[in-house]
Amino acid sequence: QPEVGSDFTVTAPINYGSGILAYNWSASLQGRTLTGKGNAPDKQTAGPFNIGTPGSYTVTWSITWNGGSLTCPPTIINVGQQPYLKVYGNDVAVGSASNASCTPDNSQATILALGDQKGGSYTGSSSQLGVFALGQIASFFSAGQQAGNPPAAPTGLTFGNYGLSGAVVGYGGLSGMRHCLTDYFSDAVGTQTPKSGAPGIFLNGLTQGLQYYQAPDSTPFYVNSSQNLGSGQKVALVVNGDVHIANNIVYGPYGSVASMPSLYLIVRGNIYIDSSVTQLSGVYIAQPDSKGQGGTIYTCSNASAPVQVGQLFQQCNQQLTINGAFIAQNVKFLRTYSTKNLSQVNEGYGSTHAAEVFKASPQMYLSLPDALQKPGAGSTYDSITSLPPIL
């Protein structure tokens, strides 16, 4: 499928029953007609074409020869946007095992995104820092802002074994490393019993202490925020079941590390982010339930289900910015905002074209809710300083 705003060509085979037939051809697309000559049987390529608006377009081929002419059945070309995501200030790790033996499943631990090579540089989906994957990495590069200096994109900070295709083709993957995933849900709730009967909760007004709820049987537990999380709000919200995030969740102003707000949403089920949401602050964790169901974060949904494929362009065409992190068995990036053709080399965290943008925030480290801090774990952070080497 051609990308909107990018050059592409169209090709057609020209067949002939026996011998060689000299002919003239024409190819028409969006009011532009290209012509040439050929000797059948052969094939012809016309272009480049460039279309700036997503949609379905018709290509018409015609040929003429001494004594005859033919107009071929029209071919439909779908020109679409190719959205991409950016991660800043933190690594991307895929394939942490959570079972008792910490055995990775390489077949599922994959990163499938949309990156692109422009000359000797790379644009589109990337992490500013490291990328770890137990399985395949497709079109997602590391060292996204190294400006050509080692370690450079696409694999300068990609940790894994590259298989037979080499380090650059496909951008890496097939890591042999093993690292276990924390069972955030069990660590948080222990043997506690969840509150039941509530359809959802407003975050405003919640303060210290674990908030543990049972989601309704038929619909997700909704999480709403009518205003910013204020100074001193450190919310640990745990839900057994699916969750629907109904609107933006943003941290308000604060005057010190002690009053820095934070949110950890830990779900045993799926997290559905409403299509109207454009900003999220905090750490969002989705784990499978006891039957292995759930554990997926959908970045564009209609309450209890992801937006259908045929409606993604219309309903999900807004940028989503996450000031924090996602931790999940699967993340489905469904925003259709902009396209990778507009991505820039060494694109900064102020990207106006990435469909999803992750910015690691200090609250992740400096203001962990008290309910999630383990006894005897040592002193709390006062500050974070990053020194080389950066992985």
Side-chain angles (χ1 to χ4, degrees):
Q1 174 178 299
E3 181 182 7
V4 62
S6 295
D7 290 345
F8 66 93
T9 59
V10 293
T11 301
I14 309 297
N15 298 315
Y16 185 59
S18 61
I20 297 176
L21 176 67
Y23 66 90
N24 299 310
W25 63 265
S26 66
S28 300
L29 174 62
Q30 279 297 94
R32 182 185 177 203
T33 299
L34 301 179
T35 60
K37 298 178 181 293
N39 292 285
D42 61 2
K43 65 180 180 180
Q44 298 295 336
T45 298
F49 296 98
N50 190 305
I51 295 178
T53 304
S56 295
Y57 298 89
T58 301
V59 181
T60 301
W61 288 86
S62 297
I63 61 174
T64 60
W65 63 92
N66 185 20
S69 64
L70 175 68
T71 298
C72 302
T75 301
I76 303 300
I77 300 292
N78 294 311
V79 179
Q81 294 184 182
Q82 298 185 13
Y84 65 99
L85 67 140
K86 288 288 189 182
V87 178
Y88 299 96
N90 214 333
D91 297 330
V92 174
V94 178
S96 298
S98 59
N99 52 55
S101 61
C102 190
T103 303
D105 183 349
N106 294 355
S107 66
Q108 297 184 19
T110 60
I111 302 175
L112 308 177
L114 287 170
D116 203 4
Q117 184 174 7
K118 292 184 177 179
S121 301
Y122 290 81
T123 60
S125 299
S126 71
S127 170
Q128 179 185 1
L129 302 178
V131 179
F132 303 77
L134 295 176
Q136 177 189 9
I137 300 175
S139 298
F140 188 86
F141 60 93
S142 63
Q145 285 190 282
Q146 290 298 103
N149 299 317
T155 59
L157 293 174
T158 299
F159 296 87
N161 304 314
Y162 303 108
L164 299 178
S165 62
V168 174
V169 176
Y171 307 168
L174 301 179
S175 168
M177 295 176 292
R178 179 174 298 183
H179 42 287
C180 285
L181 181 67
T182 301
D183 186 348
Y184 294 92
F185 186 90
S186 297
D187 285 354
V189 303
T191 59
Q192 297 183 56
T193 301
K195 303 173 186 176
S196 60
I201 194 170
F202 279 84
L203 295 175
N204 311 104
L206 296 179
T207 54
Q208 297 289 0
L210 181 71
Q211 307 292 327
Y212 180 27
Y213 288 87
Q214 173 65 48
D217 292 335
S218 58
T219 60
F221 184 89
Y222 73 82
V223 174
N224 214 325
S225 180
S226 60
Q227 60 188 34
N228 296 347
L229 271 68
S231 177
Q233 277 193 271
K234 294 177 171 59
V235 178
L237 177 60
V238 182
V239 178
N240 186 33
D242 295 342
V243 164
H244 170 223
I245 298 176
N247 61 0
N248 289 356
I249 299 174
V250 182
Y251 295 155
Y254 53 89
S256 65
V257 171
S259 62
M260 186 181 293
S262 69
L263 168 66
Y264 274 69
L265 174 62
I266 303 172
V267 173
R268 191 159 69 174
N270 296 322
I271 297 178
Y272 298 97
I273 301 170
D274 196 89
S275 60
S276 63
V277 174
T278 58
Q279 293 187 71
L280 292 175
S281 295
V283 178
Y284 299 82
I285 302 169
Q287 298 179 212
D289 60 22
S290 58
K291 298 180 180 179
Q293 304 298 313
T296 299
I297 299 176
Y298 298 94
T299 64
C300 190
S301 73
N302 291 320
S304 61
V307 172
Q308 295 297 310
V309 172
Q311 298 298 316
L312 286 175
F313 180 74
Q314 291 80 7
Q315 295 190 33
C316 303
N317 196 19
Q318 294 191 88
Q319 185 180 61
L320 174 63
T321 299
I322 301 98
N323 295 300
F326 285 176
I327 301 172
Q329 179 166 281
N330 296 289
V331 179
K332 302 293 186 182
F333 295 102
L334 301 179
R335 297 294 169 126
T336 56
Y337 175 80
S338 196
T339 186
K340 67 178 176 61
N341 182 50
L342 299 177
S343 177
Q344 303 297 313
V345 176
N346 305 319
E347 190 169 353
Y349 67 88
S351 170
T352 58
H353 295 294
E356 288 99 353
V357 179
F358 286 85
K359 302 176 184 179
S361 65
Q363 289 89 346
M364 294 168 57
Y365 308 101
L366 301 180
S367 61
L368 185 70
D370 290 346
L372 300 181
Q373 296 188 26
K374 296 182 179 180
S379 60
T380 58
Y381 290 104
D382 294 318
S383 66
I384 298 289
T385 301
S386 180
L387 297 174
I390 295 176
L391 302 180

